[in-house]
Amino acid sequence: QTVVTQEPSFSVSPGGTVTLTCGLSSGSVSTSYYPSWYQQTPGQAPRTLIYSTNTRSSGVPDRFSGSILGNKAALTITGAQADDESDYYCVLFMGTDSWVFGGGTKLTVL
Amino acid sequence: EVQLVESGGGLVQPGGSLRLSCVASGFTFSTYSMNWVRQAPGKGLEWVSYINGGSGSIYYADSVKGRFTISRDNAKNSLYLQMNSLRDEDTAVYYCARLGQWPNKFDYWGQGSLVTVSS
């Protein structure tokens, strides 16, 4: 069974830069998995940040960026702000008929 | 404005059934693929099921295959999830989500409907 891995938690200082990653329990993440990223605050529905590895969704600030770093997908937040404190989820398309979400990263800005 | 509104959640006993609905507005429903994604209390997101615009392609996560059935009625702008043989581990908030671009842009989400499976 495919497991998509994310850091359980991360901390960043206001104004700082943080990179969250999305990997596979077995193998490497490539653009062929079409990684996408979602932001969720407690009690709210997820919000689309990045899709197709590095395309920002409409209205998403350019301080959010996506990429492939080594064998993982990555979400980088440059100039972190207090309201970036959220849970972040990646999801990978498994090539035919399924999607798998990572376990999520809880980002703290302090 | 795109809106997705789920309904039909509630408390059900293990082994029971429930049907969720999602009514869409603000876009041409029949031209978009739709999904159900769930989130157990305090846990992460889990993709559950997919259906394309014409209902010709339907996929399920292994965890629900054989128990859940996704369907849609384009005339009513509605998406459904029939859930049978429910288990404790199916307890979650169920979101309907539009697939804005194949294969990976879940671009609009409803606010969710809570399903609690408990005796």
mmCIF file of all heavy atoms in Angstrom, chain A residues 34-36 38 40 43-46 48 51-53 57 89 91 93 96-99 101-103, chain B residues 35 37 39 43-47 50 59-60 95 99 101-111:
data_model
loop_
_atom_site.group_PDB
_atom_site.id
_atom_site.type_symbol
_atom_site.label_atom_id
_atom_site.label_comp_id
_atom_site.label_asym_id
_atom_site.label_seq_id
_atom_site.Cartn_x
_atom_site.Cartn_y
_atom_site.Cartn_z
ATOM 1 N N TYR A 34 1.761 14.510 -10.433
ATOM 2 C CA TYR A 34 0.974 15.744 -10.388
ATOM 3 C C TYR A 34 0.731 16.203 -8.948
ATOM 4 O O TYR A 34 -0.421 16.432 -8.537
ATOM 5 C CB TYR A 34 -0.367 15.548 -11.091
ATOM 6 C CG TYR A 34 -0.235 15.252 -12.564
ATOM 7 C CD1 TYR A 34 -0.128 13.949 -13.033
ATOM 8 C CD2 TYR A 34 -0.220 16.293 -13.498
ATOM 9 C CE1 TYR A 34 -0.007 13.680 -14.380
ATOM 10 C CE2 TYR A 34 -0.094 16.033 -14.858
ATOM 11 C CZ TYR A 34 0.013 14.731 -15.287
ATOM 12 O OH TYR A 34 0.125 14.462 -16.615
ATOM 13 N N PRO A 35 1.767 16.381 -8.158
ATOM 14 C CA PRO A 35 1.539 16.772 -6.764
ATOM 15 C C PRO A 35 0.777 18.087 -6.641
ATOM 16 O O PRO A 35 1.011 19.033 -7.404
ATOM 17 C CB PRO A 35 2.957 16.893 -6.191
ATOM 18 C CG PRO A 35 3.856 17.016 -7.381
ATOM 19 C CD PRO A 35 3.194 16.281 -8.489
ATOM 20 N N SER A 36 -0.124 18.121 -5.681
ATOM 21 C CA SER A 36 -0.846 19.350 -5.382
ATOM 22 C C SER A 36 -0.862 19.551 -3.873
ATOM 23 O O SER A 36 -0.655 18.604 -3.107
ATOM 24 C CB SER A 36 -2.256 19.337 -5.976
ATOM 25 O OG SER A 36 -2.994 18.215 -5.557
ATOM 26 N N TYR A 38 -2.667 21.666 -0.388
ATOM 27 C CA TYR A 38 -3.883 22.269 0.155
ATOM 28 C C TYR A 38 -3.600 22.774 1.568
ATOM 29 O O TYR A 38 -2.859 22.155 2.324
ATOM 30 C CB TYR A 38 -5.027 21.239 0.163
ATOM 31 C CG TYR A 38 -5.298 20.760 -1.239
ATOM 32 C CD1 TYR A 38 -4.523 19.749 -1.805
ATOM 33 C CD2 TYR A 38 -6.256 21.385 -2.033
ATOM 34 C CE1 TYR A 38 -4.712 19.360 -3.114
ATOM 35 C CE2 TYR A 38 -6.445 21.003 -3.347
ATOM 36 C CZ TYR A 38 -5.660 19.994 -3.880
ATOM 37 O OH TYR A 38 -5.836 19.615 -5.186
ATOM 38 N N GLN A 40 -5.397 23.978 5.170
ATOM 39 C CA GLN A 40 -6.633 23.832 5.933
ATOM 40 C C GLN A 40 -6.456 24.381 7.337
ATOM 41 O O GLN A 40 -5.517 24.024 8.043
ATOM 42 C CB GLN A 40 -7.057 22.357 6.011
ATOM 43 C CG GLN A 40 -8.427 22.159 6.641
ATOM 44 C CD GLN A 40 -8.809 20.698 6.797
ATOM 45 O OE1 GLN A 40 -7.974 19.852 7.071
ATOM 46 N NE2 GLN A 40 -10.093 20.404 6.611
ATOM 47 N N GLY A 43 -11.676 23.471 11.345
ATOM 48 C CA GLY A 43 -13.096 23.686 11.110
ATOM 49 C C GLY A 43 -13.452 24.171 9.727
ATOM 50 O O GLY A 43 -14.634 24.398 9.442
ATOM 51 N N GLN A 44 -12.443 24.326 8.886
ATOM 52 C CA GLN A 44 -12.684 24.837 7.534
ATOM 53 C C GLN A 44 -12.393 23.778 6.480
ATOM 54 O O GLN A 44 -11.651 22.820 6.717
ATOM 55 C CB GLN A 44 -11.812 26.062 7.265
ATOM 56 C CG GLN A 44 -12.071 27.228 8.196
ATOM 57 C CD GLN A 44 -13.476 27.777 8.052
ATOM 58 O OE1 GLN A 44 -13.969 28.011 6.946
ATOM 59 N NE2 GLN A 44 -14.160 27.975 9.178
ATOM 60 N N ALA A 45 -12.965 23.981 5.317
ATOM 61 C CA ALA A 45 -12.639 23.108 4.192
ATOM 62 C C ALA A 45 -11.241 23.446 3.675
ATOM 63 O O ALA A 45 -10.752 24.568 3.862
ATOM 64 C CB ALA A 45 -13.671 23.290 3.088
ATOM 65 N N PRO A 46 -10.602 22.493 3.032
ATOM 66 C CA PRO A 46 -9.282 22.779 2.453
ATOM 67 C C PRO A 46 -9.368 23.846 1.363
ATOM 68 O O PRO A 46 -10.397 24.025 0.722
ATOM 69 C CB PRO A 46 -8.863 21.421 1.859
ATOM 70 C CG PRO A 46 -9.651 20.410 2.620
ATOM 71 C CD PRO A 46 -10.969 21.069 2.894
ATOM 72 N N THR A 48 -7.178 25.207 -2.069
ATOM 73 C CA THR A 48 -6.157 24.803 -3.033
ATOM 74 C C THR A 48 -5.048 25.844 -3.113
ATOM 75 O O THR A 48 -5.319 27.030 -3.338
ATOM 76 C CB THR A 48 -6.770 24.618 -4.423
ATOM 77 O OG1 THR A 48 -7.941 23.797 -4.325
ATOM 78 C CG2 THR A 48 -5.778 23.986 -5.374
ATOM 79 N N TYR A 51 -1.132 23.198 -7.742
ATOM 80 C CA TYR A 51 -1.450 21.966 -8.448
ATOM 81 C C TYR A 51 -0.447 21.765 -9.579
ATOM 82 O O TYR A 51 0.299 22.686 -9.930
ATOM 83 C CB TYR A 51 -2.903 21.964 -8.953
ATOM 84 C CG TYR A 51 -3.218 23.050 -9.950
ATOM 85 C CD1 TYR A 51 -3.229 22.803 -11.313
ATOM 86 C CD2 TYR A 51 -3.531 24.344 -9.515
ATOM 87 C CE1 TYR A 51 -3.520 23.801 -12.218
ATOM 88 C CE2 TYR A 51 -3.821 25.351 -10.419
ATOM 89 C CZ TYR A 51 -3.824 25.071 -11.777
ATOM 90 O OH TYR A 51 -4.115 26.069 -12.671
ATOM 91 N N SER A 52 -0.433 20.559 -10.108
ATOM 92 C CA SER A 52 0.538 20.215 -11.160
ATOM 93 C C SER A 52 1.950 20.644 -10.772
ATOM 94 O O SER A 52 2.650 21.307 -11.551
ATOM 95 C CB SER A 52 0.137 20.843 -12.492
ATOM 96 O OG SER A 52 -1.091 20.327 -12.952
ATOM 97 N N THR A 53 2.326 20.277 -9.586
ATOM 98 C CA THR A 53 3.668 20.503 -9.028
ATOM 99 C C THR A 53 3.921 21.946 -8.619
ATOM 100 O O THR A 53 4.362 22.210 -7.491
ATOM 101 C CB THR A 53 4.793 20.068 -10.007
ATOM 102 O OG1 THR A 53 4.581 18.719 -10.396
ATOM 103 C CG2 THR A 53 6.160 20.236 -9.366
ATOM 104 N N SER A 57 -2.808 28.228 -7.546
ATOM 105 C CA SER A 57 -4.228 28.397 -7.774
ATOM 106 C C SER A 57 -4.570 29.885 -7.738
ATOM 107 O O SER A 57 -3.834 30.701 -7.168
ATOM 108 C CB SER A 57 -5.018 27.643 -6.718
ATOM 109 O OG SER A 57 -6.379 27.593 -7.042
ATOM 110 N N TYR A 89 -1.578 19.872 3.339
ATOM 111 C CA TYR A 89 -1.669 18.513 2.818
ATOM 112 C C TYR A 89 -1.200 18.472 1.366
ATOM 113 O O TYR A 89 -1.542 19.362 0.576
ATOM 114 C CB TYR A 89 -3.109 18.005 2.859
ATOM 115 C CG TYR A 89 -3.659 17.821 4.245
ATOM 116 C CD1 TYR A 89 -4.349 18.842 4.888
ATOM 117 C CD2 TYR A 89 -3.482 16.622 4.927
ATOM 118 C CE1 TYR A 89 -4.848 18.685 6.164
ATOM 119 C CE2 TYR A 89 -3.984 16.448 6.216
ATOM 120 C CZ TYR A 89 -4.662 17.488 6.831
ATOM 121 O OH TYR A 89 -5.155 17.313 8.097
ATOM 122 N N VAL A 91 -1.238 15.894 -2.082
ATOM 123 C CA VAL A 91 -1.928 14.733 -2.629
ATOM 124 C C VAL A 91 -1.254 14.363 -3.941
ATOM 125 O O VAL A 91 -0.849 15.236 -4.709
ATOM 126 C CB VAL A 91 -3.440 14.985 -2.809
ATOM 127 C CG1 VAL A 91 -3.710 16.125 -3.751
ATOM 128 C CG2 VAL A 91 -4.154 13.720 -3.260
ATOM 129 N N PHE A 93 -1.449 11.938 -7.467
ATOM 130 C CA PHE A 93 -2.278 11.133 -8.363
ATOM 131 C C PHE A 93 -1.491 9.881 -8.700
ATOM 132 O O PHE A 93 -0.358 9.960 -9.169
ATOM 133 C CB PHE A 93 -2.593 11.921 -9.629
ATOM 134 C CG PHE A 93 -3.345 11.134 -10.662
ATOM 135 C CD1 PHE A 93 -4.587 10.608 -10.364
ATOM 136 C CD2 PHE A 93 -2.815 10.933 -11.925
ATOM 137 C CE1 PHE A 93 -5.294 9.880 -11.317
ATOM 138 C CE2 PHE A 93 -3.502 10.221 -12.879
ATOM 139 C CZ PHE A 93 -4.741 9.683 -12.572
ATOM 140 N N THR A 96 -3.562 6.100 -12.344
ATOM 141 C CA THR A 96 -4.684 5.520 -13.086
ATOM 142 C C THR A 96 -6.023 5.882 -12.444
ATOM 143 O O THR A 96 -6.828 6.579 -13.053
ATOM 144 C CB THR A 96 -4.575 3.982 -13.160
ATOM 145 O OG1 THR A 96 -4.360 3.466 -11.836
ATOM 146 C CG2 THR A 96 -3.456 3.566 -14.069
ATOM 147 N N ASP A 97 -6.221 5.425 -11.250
ATOM 148 C CA ASP A 97 -7.567 5.526 -10.703
ATOM 149 C C ASP A 97 -7.616 5.850 -9.223
ATOM 150 O O ASP A 97 -8.583 5.461 -8.552
ATOM 151 C CB ASP A 97 -8.317 4.218 -10.962
ATOM 152 C CG ASP A 97 -7.619 3.031 -10.306
ATOM 153 O OD1 ASP A 97 -6.555 3.226 -9.681
ATOM 154 O OD2 ASP A 97 -8.146 1.914 -10.431
ATOM 155 N N SER A 98 -6.640 6.527 -8.719
ATOM 156 C CA SER A 98 -6.710 6.861 -7.297
ATOM 157 C C SER A 98 -5.799 8.030 -6.962
ATOM 158 O O SER A 98 -4.857 8.347 -7.692
ATOM 159 C CB SER A 98 -6.331 5.651 -6.433
ATOM 160 O OG SER A 98 -4.986 5.293 -6.651
ATOM 161 N N TRP A 99 -6.124 8.653 -5.858
ATOM 162 C CA TRP A 99 -5.328 9.735 -5.298
ATOM 163 C C TRP A 99 -4.997 9.365 -3.856
ATOM 164 O O TRP A 99 -5.819 8.748 -3.167
ATOM 165 C CB TRP A 99 -6.123 11.029 -5.302
ATOM 166 C CG TRP A 99 -6.363 11.629 -6.658
ATOM 167 C CD1 TRP A 99 -5.683 12.660 -7.224
ATOM 168 C CD2 TRP A 99 -7.365 11.246 -7.606
ATOM 169 N NE1 TRP A 99 -6.184 12.934 -8.464
ATOM 170 C CE2 TRP A 99 -7.217 12.091 -8.732
ATOM 171 C CE3 TRP A 99 -8.366 10.266 -7.627
ATOM 172 C CZ2 TRP A 99 -8.038 11.995 -9.866
ATOM 173 C CZ3 TRP A 99 -9.186 10.156 -8.752
ATOM 174 C CH2 TRP A 99 -9.016 11.020 -9.853
ATOM 175 N N PHE A 101 -3.579 11.132 -0.264
ATOM 176 C CA PHE A 101 -3.162 12.304 0.495
ATOM 177 C C PHE A 101 -2.050 11.924 1.467
ATOM 178 O O PHE A 101 -2.020 10.812 2.002
ATOM 179 C CB PHE A 101 -4.335 12.868 1.307
ATOM 180 C CG PHE A 101 -5.305 13.690 0.517
ATOM 181 C CD1 PHE A 101 -6.376 13.085 -0.126
ATOM 182 C CD2 PHE A 101 -5.161 15.068 0.415
ATOM 183 C CE1 PHE A 101 -7.281 13.845 -0.854
ATOM 184 C CE2 PHE A 101 -6.065 15.839 -0.307
ATOM 185 C CZ PHE A 101 -7.125 15.218 -0.945
ATOM 186 N N GLY A 102 -1.165 12.880 1.709
ATOM 187 C CA GLY A 102 -0.219 12.727 2.792
ATOM 188 C C GLY A 102 -0.908 12.966 4.126
ATOM 189 O O GLY A 102 -2.053 13.418 4.176
ATOM 190 N N GLY A 103 -0.198 12.663 5.198
ATOM 191 C CA GLY A 103 -0.774 12.777 6.520
ATOM 192 C C GLY A 103 -0.914 14.210 7.021
ATOM 193 O O GLY A 103 -1.555 14.451 8.040
ATOM 194 N N ASN B 35 -15.533 14.493 -6.653
ATOM 195 C CA ASN B 35 -14.927 13.544 -5.724
ATOM 196 C C ASN B 35 -15.576 13.656 -4.347
ATOM 197 O O ASN B 35 -16.159 14.686 -3.997
ATOM 198 C CB ASN B 35 -13.433 13.841 -5.552
ATOM 199 C CG ASN B 35 -12.640 13.596 -6.807
ATOM 200 O OD1 ASN B 35 -12.048 12.547 -7.005
ATOM 201 N ND2 ASN B 35 -12.613 14.599 -7.685
ATOM 202 N N VAL B 37 -14.082 13.297 -0.468
ATOM 203 C CA VAL B 37 -12.871 13.226 0.357
ATOM 204 C C VAL B 37 -13.333 13.294 1.807
ATOM 205 O O VAL B 37 -14.217 14.084 2.127
ATOM 206 C CB VAL B 37 -11.914 14.400 0.053
ATOM 207 C CG1 VAL B 37 -10.690 14.357 0.980
ATOM 208 C CG2 VAL B 37 -11.473 14.368 -1.405
ATOM 209 N N GLN B 39 -12.430 13.155 6.219
ATOM 210 C CA GLN B 39 -11.453 13.496 7.255
ATOM 211 C C GLN B 39 -11.981 13.021 8.601
ATOM 212 O O GLN B 39 -12.944 13.576 9.128
ATOM 213 C CB GLN B 39 -11.202 15.000 7.277
ATOM 214 C CG GLN B 39 -10.090 15.433 8.208
ATOM 215 C CD GLN B 39 -9.707 16.889 7.976
ATOM 216 O OE1 GLN B 39 -10.555 17.741 7.686
ATOM 217 N NE2 GLN B 39 -8.429 17.199 8.126
ATOM 218 N N LYS B 43 -7.778 13.859 12.260
ATOM 219 C CA LYS B 43 -6.891 13.157 11.332
ATOM 220 C C LYS B 43 -6.766 13.910 10.006
ATOM 221 O O LYS B 43 -7.327 14.998 9.838
ATOM 222 C CB LYS B 43 -7.411 11.734 11.069
ATOM 223 C CG LYS B 43 -7.573 10.901 12.314
ATOM 224 C CD LYS B 43 -6.250 10.643 13.017
ATOM 225 C CE LYS B 43 -6.421 9.707 14.198
ATOM 226 N NZ LYS B 43 -5.147 9.499 14.928
ATOM 227 N N GLY B 44 -6.023 13.316 9.081
ATOM 228 C CA GLY B 44 -5.798 13.947 7.795
ATOM 229 C C GLY B 44 -6.889 13.639 6.778
ATOM 230 O O GLY B 44 -7.863 12.952 7.058
ATOM 231 N N LEU B 45 -6.682 14.171 5.589
ATOM 232 C CA LEU B 45 -7.630 13.970 4.496
ATOM 233 C C LEU B 45 -7.420 12.612 3.838
ATOM 234 O O LEU B 45 -6.296 12.117 3.751
ATOM 235 C CB LEU B 45 -7.449 15.077 3.452
ATOM 236 C CG LEU B 45 -7.665 16.506 3.935
ATOM 237 C CD1 LEU B 45 -7.205 17.503 2.874
ATOM 238 C CD2 LEU B 45 -9.131 16.745 4.261
ATOM 239 N N GLU B 46 -8.512 12.020 3.381
ATOM 240 C CA GLU B 46 -8.450 10.741 2.675
ATOM 241 C C GLU B 46 -9.367 10.807 1.464
ATOM 242 O O GLU B 46 -10.585 11.043 1.608
ATOM 243 C CB GLU B 46 -8.867 9.579 3.571
ATOM 244 C CG GLU B 46 -8.822 8.225 2.871
ATOM 245 C CD GLU B 46 -9.421 7.093 3.690
ATOM 246 O OE1 GLU B 46 -10.083 7.361 4.708
ATOM 247 O OE2 GLU B 46 -9.226 5.920 3.308
ATOM 248 N N TRP B 47 -8.825 10.596 0.276
ATOM 249 C CA TRP B 47 -9.651 10.527 -0.917
ATOM 250 C C TRP B 47 -10.506 9.267 -0.844
ATOM 251 O O TRP B 47 -10.014 8.182 -0.475
ATOM 252 C CB TRP B 47 -8.773 10.503 -2.163
ATOM 253 C CG TRP B 47 -9.545 10.228 -3.407
ATOM 254 C CD1 TRP B 47 -10.335 11.100 -4.098
ATOM 255 C CD2 TRP B 47 -9.642 8.982 -4.087
ATOM 256 N NE1 TRP B 47 -10.910 10.466 -5.169
ATOM 257 C CE2 TRP B 47 -10.497 9.165 -5.193
ATOM 258 C CE3 TRP B 47 -9.078 7.717 -3.886
ATOM 259 C CZ2 TRP B 47 -10.813 8.140 -6.087
ATOM 260 C CZ3 TRP B 47 -9.379 6.691 -4.771
ATOM 261 C CH2 TRP B 47 -10.243 6.913 -5.863
ATOM 262 N N TYR B 50 -14.297 8.974 -6.903
ATOM 263 C CA TYR B 50 -14.282 9.887 -8.055
ATOM 264 C C TYR B 50 -15.351 9.464 -9.049
ATOM 265 O O TYR B 50 -15.608 8.262 -9.240
ATOM 266 C CB TYR B 50 -12.908 9.812 -8.712
ATOM 267 C CG TYR B 50 -12.839 10.311 -10.146
ATOM 268 C CD1 TYR B 50 -12.460 11.614 -10.425
ATOM 269 C CD2 TYR B 50 -13.145 9.467 -11.215
ATOM 270 C CE1 TYR B 50 -12.389 12.075 -11.730
ATOM 271 C CE2 TYR B 50 -13.077 9.914 -12.531
ATOM 272 C CZ TYR B 50 -12.686 11.218 -12.775
ATOM 273 O OH TYR B 50 -12.619 11.669 -14.075
ATOM 274 N N TYR B 59 -14.177 5.638 -9.629
ATOM 275 C CA TYR B 59 -13.089 5.004 -8.888
ATOM 276 C C TYR B 59 -13.364 5.100 -7.390
ATOM 277 O O TYR B 59 -14.024 6.028 -6.928
ATOM 278 C CB TYR B 59 -11.755 5.696 -9.176
ATOM 279 C CG TYR B 59 -11.425 5.895 -10.636
ATOM 280 C CD1 TYR B 59 -10.933 7.121 -11.092
ATOM 281 C CD2 TYR B 59 -11.581 4.874 -11.559
ATOM 282 C CE1 TYR B 59 -10.614 7.323 -12.416
ATOM 283 C CE2 TYR B 59 -11.271 5.063 -12.891
ATOM 284 C CZ TYR B 59 -10.790 6.290 -13.318
ATOM 285 O OH TYR B 59 -10.474 6.478 -14.632
ATOM 286 N N TYR B 60 -12.788 4.142 -6.653
ATOM 287 C CA TYR B 60 -12.948 4.114 -5.198
ATOM 288 C C TYR B 60 -11.611 3.831 -4.523
ATOM 289 O O TYR B 60 -10.762 3.094 -5.048
ATOM 290 C CB TYR B 60 -13.930 3.023 -4.775
ATOM 291 C CG TYR B 60 -15.338 3.188 -5.294
ATOM 292 C CD1 TYR B 60 -15.773 2.494 -6.417
ATOM 293 C CD2 TYR B 60 -16.227 4.053 -4.663
ATOM 294 C CE1 TYR B 60 -17.069 2.646 -6.898
ATOM 295 C CE2 TYR B 60 -17.525 4.212 -5.142
ATOM 296 C CZ TYR B 60 -17.931 3.507 -6.269
ATOM 297 O OH TYR B 60 -19.211 3.661 -6.750
ATOM 298 N N TYR B 95 -16.364 15.549 2.564
ATOM 299 C CA TYR B 95 -16.389 16.710 1.689
ATOM 300 C C TYR B 95 -16.626 16.274 0.247
ATOM 301 O O TYR B 95 -16.039 15.293 -0.214
ATOM 302 C CB TYR B 95 -15.041 17.434 1.708
ATOM 303 C CG TYR B 95 -14.626 18.050 3.019
ATOM 304 C CD1 TYR B 95 -13.718 17.404 3.856
ATOM 305 C CD2 TYR B 95 -15.110 19.288 3.418
ATOM 306 C CE1 TYR B 95 -13.308 17.978 5.050
ATOM 307 C CE2 TYR B 95 -14.710 19.869 4.606
ATOM 308 C CZ TYR B 95 -13.806 19.203 5.419
ATOM 309 O OH TYR B 95 -13.405 19.781 6.597
ATOM 310 N N LEU B 99 -13.149 18.500 -9.227
ATOM 311 C CA LEU B 99 -11.847 18.369 -9.871
ATOM 312 C C LEU B 99 -11.808 19.388 -11.002
ATOM 313 O O LEU B 99 -12.363 19.178 -12.067
ATOM 314 C CB LEU B 99 -11.645 16.950 -10.390
ATOM 315 C CG LEU B 99 -10.206 16.608 -10.801
ATOM 316 C CD1 LEU B 99 -9.300 16.587 -9.573
ATOM 317 C CD2 LEU B 99 -10.155 15.269 -11.522
ATOM 318 N N GLN B 101 -9.299 20.540 -12.729
ATOM 319 C CA GLN B 101 -8.401 20.223 -13.848
ATOM 320 C C GLN B 101 -7.857 18.832 -13.620
ATOM 321 O O GLN B 101 -7.341 18.535 -12.541
ATOM 322 C CB GLN B 101 -7.274 21.247 -13.930
ATOM 323 C CG GLN B 101 -6.246 20.963 -15.015
ATOM 324 C CD GLN B 101 -5.234 22.077 -15.146
ATOM 325 O OE1 GLN B 101 -5.599 23.227 -15.395
ATOM 326 N NE2 GLN B 101 -3.964 21.758 -14.963
ATOM 327 N N TRP B 102 -7.965 17.982 -14.611
ATOM 328 C CA TRP B 102 -7.415 16.619 -14.506
ATOM 329 C C TRP B 102 -5.899 16.695 -14.482
ATOM 330 O O TRP B 102 -5.310 17.435 -15.261
ATOM 331 C CB TRP B 102 -7.887 15.782 -15.698
ATOM 332 C CG TRP B 102 -7.317 14.401 -15.682
ATOM 333 C CD1 TRP B 102 -6.198 13.965 -16.344
ATOM 334 C CD2 TRP B 102 -7.814 13.286 -14.944
ATOM 335 N NE1 TRP B 102 -5.979 12.651 -16.062
ATOM 336 C CE2 TRP B 102 -6.954 12.194 -15.216
ATOM 337 C CE3 TRP B 102 -8.900 13.083 -14.092
ATOM 338 C CZ2 TRP B 102 -7.158 10.932 -14.649
ATOM 339 C CZ3 TRP B 102 -9.099 11.836 -13.551
ATOM 340 C CH2 TRP B 102 -8.235 10.775 -13.824
ATOM 341 N N PRO B 103 -5.222 15.944 -13.586
ATOM 342 C CA PRO B 103 -5.875 15.019 -12.656
ATOM 343 C C PRO B 103 -5.770 15.456 -11.209
ATOM 344 O O PRO B 103 -5.899 14.640 -10.306
ATOM 345 C CB PRO B 103 -5.037 13.759 -12.857
ATOM 346 C CG PRO B 103 -3.646 14.300 -13.007
ATOM 347 C CD PRO B 103 -3.780 15.644 -13.703
ATOM 348 N N ASN B 104 -5.486 16.746 -10.958
ATOM 349 C CA ASN B 104 -5.044 17.007 -9.597
ATOM 350 C C ASN B 104 -5.447 18.339 -9.003
ATOM 351 O O ASN B 104 -4.889 18.740 -7.991
ATOM 352 C CB ASN B 104 -3.516 16.936 -9.554
ATOM 353 C CG ASN B 104 -2.906 18.115 -10.274
ATOM 354 O OD1 ASN B 104 -3.518 18.705 -11.153
ATOM 355 N ND2 ASN B 104 -1.698 18.468 -9.901
ATOM 356 N N LYS B 105 -6.398 19.026 -9.582
ATOM 357 C CA LYS B 105 -6.765 20.303 -9.004
ATOM 358 C C LYS B 105 -8.160 20.182 -8.382
ATOM 359 O O LYS B 105 -9.164 20.395 -9.038
ATOM 360 C CB LYS B 105 -6.755 21.402 -10.075
ATOM 361 C CG LYS B 105 -6.981 22.789 -9.513
ATOM 362 C CD LYS B 105 -7.035 23.817 -10.629
ATOM 363 C CE LYS B 105 -7.315 25.205 -10.106
ATOM 364 N NZ LYS B 105 -7.497 26.162 -11.210
ATOM 365 N N PHE B 106 -8.153 19.820 -7.086
ATOM 366 C CA PHE B 106 -9.414 19.825 -6.350
ATOM 367 C C PHE B 106 -9.683 21.284 -5.991
ATOM 368 O O PHE B 106 -9.247 21.760 -4.952
ATOM 369 C CB PHE B 106 -9.299 18.965 -5.097
ATOM 370 C CG PHE B 106 -9.012 17.506 -5.377
ATOM 371 C CD1 PHE B 106 -7.713 17.028 -5.402
ATOM 372 C CD2 PHE B 106 -10.044 16.617 -5.616
ATOM 373 C CE1 PHE B 106 -7.451 15.687 -5.654
ATOM 374 C CE2 PHE B 106 -9.792 15.262 -5.868
ATOM 375 C CZ PHE B 106 -8.487 14.806 -5.886
ATOM 376 N N ASP B 107 -10.388 21.987 -6.865
ATOM 377 C CA ASP B 107 -10.378 23.436 -6.742
ATOM 378 C C ASP B 107 -11.488 24.017 -5.875
ATOM 379 O O ASP B 107 -11.347 25.135 -5.369
ATOM 380 C CB ASP B 107 -10.354 24.108 -8.111
ATOM 381 C CG ASP B 107 -11.539 23.755 -8.987
ATOM 382 O OD1 ASP B 107 -12.353 22.879 -8.592
ATOM 383 O OD2 ASP B 107 -11.649 24.342 -10.079
ATOM 384 N N TYR B 108 -12.590 23.331 -5.731
ATOM 385 C CA TYR B 108 -13.647 23.820 -4.845
ATOM 386 C C TYR B 108 -14.117 22.680 -3.950
ATOM 387 O O TYR B 108 -14.265 21.541 -4.394
ATOM 388 C CB TYR B 108 -14.834 24.386 -5.641
ATOM 389 C CG TYR B 108 -14.534 25.735 -6.250
ATOM 390 C CD1 TYR B 108 -14.077 25.830 -7.556
ATOM 391 C CD2 TYR B 108 -14.701 26.902 -5.502
ATOM 392 C CE1 TYR B 108 -13.780 27.065 -8.112
ATOM 393 C CE2 TYR B 108 -14.410 28.139 -6.062
ATOM 394 C CZ TYR B 108 -13.947 28.209 -7.359
ATOM 395 O OH TYR B 108 -13.652 29.430 -7.899
ATOM 396 N N TRP B 109 -14.345 23.042 -2.687
ATOM 397 C CA TRP B 109 -14.749 22.071 -1.677
ATOM 398 C C TRP B 109 -16.011 22.564 -0.983
ATOM 399 O O TRP B 109 -16.190 23.762 -0.773
ATOM 400 C CB TRP B 109 -13.649 21.926 -0.626
ATOM 401 C CG TRP B 109 -12.322 21.463 -1.129
ATOM 402 C CD1 TRP B 109 -11.476 22.131 -1.968
ATOM 403 C CD2 TRP B 109 -11.666 20.243 -0.793
ATOM 404 N NE1 TRP B 109 -10.327 21.391 -2.188
ATOM 405 C CE2 TRP B 109 -10.423 20.237 -1.463
ATOM 406 C CE3 TRP B 109 -11.994 19.162 0.024
ATOM 407 C CZ2 TRP B 109 -9.521 19.171 -1.357
ATOM 408 C CZ3 TRP B 109 -11.093 18.103 0.136
ATOM 409 C CH2 TRP B 109 -9.867 18.117 -0.561
ATOM 410 N N GLY B 110 -16.868 21.615 -0.589
ATOM 411 C CA GLY B 110 -17.980 21.975 0.263
ATOM 412 C C GLY B 110 -17.506 22.142 1.698
ATOM 413 O O GLY B 110 -16.319 21.986 1.993
ATOM 414 N N GLN B 111 -18.422 22.455 2.581
ATOM 415 C CA GLN B 111 -18.077 22.636 3.985
ATOM 416 C C GLN B 111 -18.093 21.339 4.775
ATOM 417 O O GLN B 111 -17.660 21.298 5.916
ATOM 418 C CB GLN B 111 -19.015 23.649 4.643
ATOM 419 C CG GLN B 111 -18.658 25.085 4.292
ATOM 420 C CD GLN B 111 -17.217 25.415 4.663
ATOM 421 O OE1 GLN B 111 -16.800 25.303 5.813
ATOM 422 N NE2 GLN B 111 -16.429 25.832 3.676
#
